[in-house]
């Protein structure tokens, strides 16, 4: 019986890899944090206690979770809500309303979204309200069962909180904070933002109704903890269908940490960013190299993934340019050096290019002005150059001031990798004399 059971639980190598990639890709793409969290214990405890007072004791609260992008604000909130809902004393009728400043661009759209998420479209019907406050108060009144103790607690989650501060008169924020201070339905307003100066954006009447509770997040883990995060994110769970494959995969992951190459790659990554989402991108690139003939990630996979991730996208664009466009970029480089970063126009670039042609006596590079202008415009479309801001649009395109969006290192490095680049063009690029 045990043999039959173990046979049923074992999968082919192809099936194991397919299942493994499905699990890990979902984790990396949706940034589902797997494993122990570091550096957010006190913030987690603070937020949990705050929400518990709203959900269990009927208190209304407001708070801001502030931290740079990728510091784990949504992760912290998601985990806290999950733990909150698993508590025995928490009511089953807790309601959550999730708003995002990128989607709800004004208060009218936000109110419609609140109505939809609270499933109160039929209650509102065709009623006409005198003000935003009346409409919101009616929605919350509709949730009441009786007294304060038996009312439905509502958690308002405002992602990209700073964008709501740009709404006209900040009506939504004013009313949410006002309700969170009154003895009405228990409400918790939690804002998530990456702006440290977010309170300066609030009007006085809004700021006076905010509790001024702030939970700051920073990636406060060290490199040894970062290595543990790396191992946890790449490990397969215990419930993986094929136990043998899961064990071998996790052992291979453990052995990666013993490699000096892998340690150097992760140290370089850690020094540039502690963002777990960025680590997910690195692991996703390494995971894409796993096949049936190469079933486990090794040090070379991570090294290649790090190289691809650190690749300069603008330098890659240069590899696909024509020789004429490369010559114009080099002319701009020299103008940038001569005039100490001052903007240039098409006439200046063409004049610099003509000097190179005359010096080399090359008829092969002698293009007509419309052709050169077309190449110049193509560089603008590729966003390798951009027009200076605040200038009149009526200026002729030959005299419109432009700015180069590449530095000298990017240009020289791209020319070294440029296929079949003419020798005189390469020499022109590295020469300091224009």
């Amino acid at each position: 019986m045990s043999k039959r059971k173990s046979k049923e639980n074992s999968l082919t190598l192809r099936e194991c890899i397919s299942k493994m990639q499905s699990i890990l890709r979902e984790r990396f793409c949706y940034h589902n944090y797997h494993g122990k969290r570091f550096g957010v214990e006190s913030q987690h405890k603070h937020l949990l206690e705050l929400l518990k007072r709203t959900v269990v004791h009927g208190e209304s609260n407001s708070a801001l979770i502030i931290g740079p992008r990728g510091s784990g604000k949504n992760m912290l909130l998601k985990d806290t809500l999950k733990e909150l809902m698993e508590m025995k004393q928490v009511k089953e009728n807790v309601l959550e309303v999730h708003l995002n400043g990128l989607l709800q661009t004004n208060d009218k759209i936000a109110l419609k979204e609140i109505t939809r998420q609270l499933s109160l479209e039929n209650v509102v019907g065709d009623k006409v309200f005198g003000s935003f406050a009346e409409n919101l108060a009616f929605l919350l009144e509709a949730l009441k069962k009786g007294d304060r103790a038996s009312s439905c607690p509502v958690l308002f989650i405002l992602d990209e909180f700073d964008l709501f501060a740009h709404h006209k008169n900040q009506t939504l924020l004013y009313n949410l904070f006002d309700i969170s201070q009154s003895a009405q339905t228990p409400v918790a307003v939690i804002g998530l933002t990456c702006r440290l100066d977010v309170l300066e954006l609030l009007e006085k009447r809004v700021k006076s109704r905010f509790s001024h509770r702030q939970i700051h997040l920073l990636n406060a883990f060290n490199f040894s903890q970062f290595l543990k995060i790396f191992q946890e994110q790449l490990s397969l769970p215990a419930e993986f269908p094929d136990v043998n494959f899961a064990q071998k995969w996790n052992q291979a992951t453990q052995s990666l940490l013993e490699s000096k190459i892998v340690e150097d790659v992760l140290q370089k990554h850690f020094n540039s960013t502690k963002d777990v989402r960025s680590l997910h991108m690195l692991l996703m690139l390494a995971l894409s190299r796993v096949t049936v003939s190469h079933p486990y990630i090794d040090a070379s996979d991570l090294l290649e993934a790090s190289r691809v991730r650190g690749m300069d996208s603008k330098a890659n664009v240069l590899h696909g340019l024509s020789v004429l466009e490369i010559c114009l970029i080099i002319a701009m480089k020299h103008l940038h050096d001569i005039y100490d970063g001052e903007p240039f126009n098409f006439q200046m670039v063409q004049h610099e290019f003509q000097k190179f042609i005359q010096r080399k006596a090359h008829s092969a590079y002698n293009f007509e002005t419309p052709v050169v202008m077309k190449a110049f415009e193509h560089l603008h479309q590729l966003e390798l150059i951009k027009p200076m801001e605040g200038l009149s649009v009526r200026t002729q395109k030959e005299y419109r001031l432009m700015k180069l969006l590449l530095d000298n290192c990017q240009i020289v490095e791209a020319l070294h990798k440029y296929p079949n680049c003419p020798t005189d063009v390469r020499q022109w690029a590295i020469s300091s004399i224009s």
Side-chain angles (χ1 to χ4, degrees):
M1 183 72 180
S2 61
K3 286 184 179 179
R4 184 187 302 170
K5 188 175 181 181
S6 64
K7 190 174 181 180
E8 288 173 356
N9 288 342
S10 64
L11 304 173
T12 65
L13 182 59
R14 187 178 296 277
E15 289 172 334
C16 286
I17 290 175
S18 176
K19 182 66 178 175
M20 173 272 296
Q21 289 201 336
S22 175
I23 291 171
L24 295 185
R25 283 177 188 275
E26 183 179 1
R27 186 184 298 169
F28 300 157
C29 290
Y30 294 101
H31 308 299
N32 295 328
Y33 199 99
H34 171 74
K36 185 181 177 184
R37 281 144 185 87
F38 299 97
V40 293
E41 293 81 6
S42 61
Q43 293 93 331
H44 176 81
K45 184 180 178 182
H46 185 182
L47 185 60
L48 182 63
E49 185 62 32
L50 190 74
L51 295 178
K52 198 194 297 183
R53 289 206 299 269
T54 298
V55 174
V56 178
H57 304 296
E59 294 180 13
S60 290
N61 287 297
S62 57
L64 285 176
I65 303 175
I66 303 173
R69 297 199 184 279
S71 58
K73 299 185 292 295
N74 280 293
M75 176 206 74
L76 173 69
L77 182 63
K78 188 192 298 183
D79 282 1
T80 307
L81 289 174
K82 184 181 178 183
E83 187 173 334
L84 185 73
M85 298 308 170
E86 290 172 353
M87 293 181 175
K88 292 181 181 179
Q89 66 267 41
V90 173
K91 301 173 186 178
E92 295 180 358
N93 59 347
V94 176
L95 298 173
E96 295 178 30
V97 176
H98 293 264
L99 302 176
N100 191 304
L102 295 170
L103 300 176
Q104 284 76 50
T105 52
N106 60 52
D107 289 344
K108 187 177 180 181
I109 297 173
L111 194 60
K112 283 185 178 179
E113 184 62 18
I114 293 171
T115 307
R116 186 192 69 79
Q117 291 191 33
L118 295 177
S119 302
L120 293 174
E121 294 94 338
N122 294 333
V123 177
V124 174
D126 296 325
K127 289 184 174 62
V128 178
F129 298 97
S131 67
F132 182 94
E134 285 180 21
N135 197 339
L136 186 61
F138 176 81
L139 292 177
L140 296 175
E141 189 70 29
L143 301 172
K144 287 189 177 183
K145 291 184 176 179
D147 59 3
R148 180 181 176 82
S150 60
S151 295
C152 280
V154 187
L155 308 180
F156 286 93
I157 314 298
L158 277 62
D159 205 352
E160 303 291 346
F161 178 86
D162 50 289
L163 297 181
F164 288 99
H166 295 296
H167 289 190
K168 185 180 179 182
N169 298 329
Q170 299 182 357
T171 310
L172 175 67
L173 296 181
Y174 174 79
N175 284 282
L176 286 178
F177 288 148
D178 190 50
I179 291 167
S180 71
Q181 280 200 335
S182 61
Q184 297 181 18
T185 304
V187 166
V189 182
I190 307 296
L192 291 84
T193 180
C194 58
R195 288 194 60 167
L196 292 171
D197 63 340
V198 65
L199 289 181
E200 302 302 319
L201 302 176
L202 301 180
E203 295 178 3
K204 283 185 179 180
R205 65 189 187 114
V206 179
K207 197 185 296 185
S208 66
R209 283 160 175 77
F210 174 51
S211 67
H212 287 262
R213 288 190 184 92
Q214 298 179 47
I215 301 173
H216 289 269
L217 280 186
L218 291 171
N219 287 325
F221 46 80
N222 55 35
F223 183 62
S224 61
Q225 291 171 328
F226 184 73
L227 293 179
K228 289 180 183 176
I229 293 172
F230 166 81
Q231 184 179 356
E232 288 169 350
Q233 296 305 294
L234 206 53
S235 297
L236 290 176
E239 59 271 16
F240 190 78
D242 193 305
V243 179
N244 291 331
F245 179 83
Q247 287 178 347
K248 289 179 181 178
W249 176 270
N250 291 341
Q251 286 171 4
T253 302
Q254 174 64 38
S255 65
L256 279 175
L257 296 174
E258 299 167 5
S259 168
K260 177 64 177 164
I261 296 174
V262 172
E263 186 179 341
D264 290 344
V265 167
L266 294 178
Q267 182 70 63
K268 182 181 177 183
H269 189 92
F270 179 78
N271 291 339
S272 63
T273 176
K274 294 183 182 180
D275 188 350
V276 176
R277 294 182 299 186
S278 180
L279 177 63
H280 282 163
M281 176 59 72
L282 180 73
L283 296 179
M284 178 70 87
L285 292 170
L287 184 65
S288 64
R289 294 170 63 85
V290 173
T291 60
V292 176
S293 58
H294 179 64
Y296 305 107
I297 293 176
D298 58 22
S300 63
D301 295 328
L302 275 170
L303 192 62
E304 178 62 19
S306 178
R307 189 191 67 78
V308 171
R309 184 188 164 278
M311 201 174 284
D312 191 334
S313 59
K314 284 188 178 178
N316 288 341
V317 172
L318 292 178
H319 300 162
L321 298 181
S322 66
V323 175
L324 171 59
E325 289 164 341
I326 285 288
C327 287
L328 294 183
I329 290 287
I330 296 171
M332 295 171 198
K333 170 186 174 295
H334 285 303
L335 288 171
H336 184 275
D337 294 341
I338 294 168
Y339 298 107
D340 197 21
E342 289 295 314
F344 53 83
N345 58 32
F346 171 74
Q347 288 288 354
M348 294 167 68
V349 174
Q350 189 181 29
H351 177 68
E352 195 70 23
F353 180 42
Q354 289 296 331
K355 280 164 51 177
F356 164 69
I357 296 172
Q358 291 167 7
R359 190 163 61 247
K360 295 296 180 181
H362 257 303
S363 60
Y365 303 138
N366 203 3
F367 298 96
E368 296 291 331
T369 300
V371 177
V372 180
M373 173 57 82
K374 193 71 176 177
F376 188 81
E377 290 175 344
H378 186 229
L379 295 177
H380 181 205
Q381 290 171 358
L382 292 173
E383 297 183 358
L384 297 176
I385 57 175
K386 73 167 187 176
M388 296 297 292
E389 296 177 359
L391 297 175
S392 174
V393 185
R394 295 181 180 179
T395 308
Q396 290 182 11
K397 53 186 178 180
E398 292 90 345
Y399 302 103
R400 193 176 300 162
L401 290 177
M402 310 291 282
K403 185 177 181 180
L404 183 62
L405 300 179
L406 296 161
D407 58 37
N408 290 356
C409 295
Q410 287 175 309
I411 297 169
V412 173
E413 185 181 345
L415 282 171
H416 284 306
K417 298 178 181 177
Y418 188 85
N420 303 320
C421 181
T423 306
D424 49 359
V425 172
R426 186 179 284 113
Q427 288 175 346
W428 179 41
I430 60 177
S431 66
S432 58
I433 302 171
S434 178

